[in-house]
Amino acid sequence: MDIDLIFKALANPTRRQILEWLKTPEKFLSSEECGGFKRGVCAGQIENLGKVSQSTMSNHLSVLQQAGLIKAEKYGQWSYFSRNEELIQQVTEKAKKWLTPAYDAETQAEVKRMLENEDKTDLIEAFYKDLEFGTGGLRGIM
């Protein structure tokens, strides 16, 4: 996984839009247009959605493919594209790890205090708040 190549590919709004189209093609195309999406989405349909020239769209698809974010399969003269969900999940996990705030010493001390306190109400409330909102909770006591 070349993370720099991936982020370079994601830096372009058209390429991010292509990933969105490939994620849920049924929102943007009829299943008849692409044979039910079993093979992915046909390059021509992606070009139509993008309203750009064939060469421009081909370049965007190539950049995404080189980054590993999409897969291409040829059937006769047609190319079908789909997302590489495994790689996208790995990138998402790495980004979460990099971007999630670290607990500082003050927060660690507060969590330790809550654990040592006989009344665990504060800790339980913070834990459930963290589960409910994904932020706040234990991070919110900073």
Side-chain angles (χ1 to χ4, degrees):
M1 169 178 15
D2 184 338
I3 202 71
D4 293 329
L5 196 59
I6 290 167
F7 280 114
K8 181 180 175 184
L10 294 173
N12 183 284
T14 300
R15 293 193 282 265
R16 291 192 305 270
Q17 183 62 62
I18 292 167
L19 288 171
E20 185 68 25
W21 293 330
L22 294 176
K23 181 179 181 180
T24 53
E26 63 280 355
K27 286 184 177 180
F28 307 98
L29 300 164
S30 70
S31 61
E32 295 82 36
E33 289 177 287
C34 288
F37 310 115
K38 292 177 207 119
R39 296 178 175 169
V41 178
C42 181
Q45 298 302 328
I46 299 170
E47 288 169 24
N48 291 340
L49 286 170
K51 297 180 174 54
V52 295
S53 70
Q54 184 274 331
S55 61
T56 300
M57 185 56 72
S58 180
N59 179 266
H60 285 311
L61 292 169
S62 177
V63 169
L64 288 168
Q65 194 174 1
Q66 288 170 12
L69 293 167
I70 63 173
K71 301 174 189 177
E73 291 189 45
K74 279 194 87 74
Y75 293 92
Q77 65 181 15
W78 307 106
S79 293
Y80 291 84
F81 293 89
S82 59
R83 289 165 41 116
N84 181 349
E85 295 297 343
E86 184 179 328
L87 181 72
I88 290 170
Q89 183 62 40
Q90 290 172 7
V91 171
T92 302
E93 291 303 316
K94 277 192 178 281
K96 276 185 190 176
K97 203 158 107 176
W98 294 329
L99 300 174
T100 300
Y103 294 114
D104 59 14
E106 184 181 327
T107 301
Q108 290 174 2
E110 181 67 12
V111 170
K112 185 176 179 184
R113 183 199 61 74
M114 287 180 180
L115 287 169
E116 291 170 349
N117 188 349
E118 285 185 34
D119 179 11
K120 305 277 189 254
T121 307
D122 291 345
L123 182 63
I124 293 167
E125 286 176 2
F127 175 75
Y128 281 111
K129 189 174 182 183
D130 207 34
L131 285 177
E132 184 177 349
F133 299 107
T135 58
L138 295 175
R139 286 186 204 107
I141 62 173
M142 293 162 87

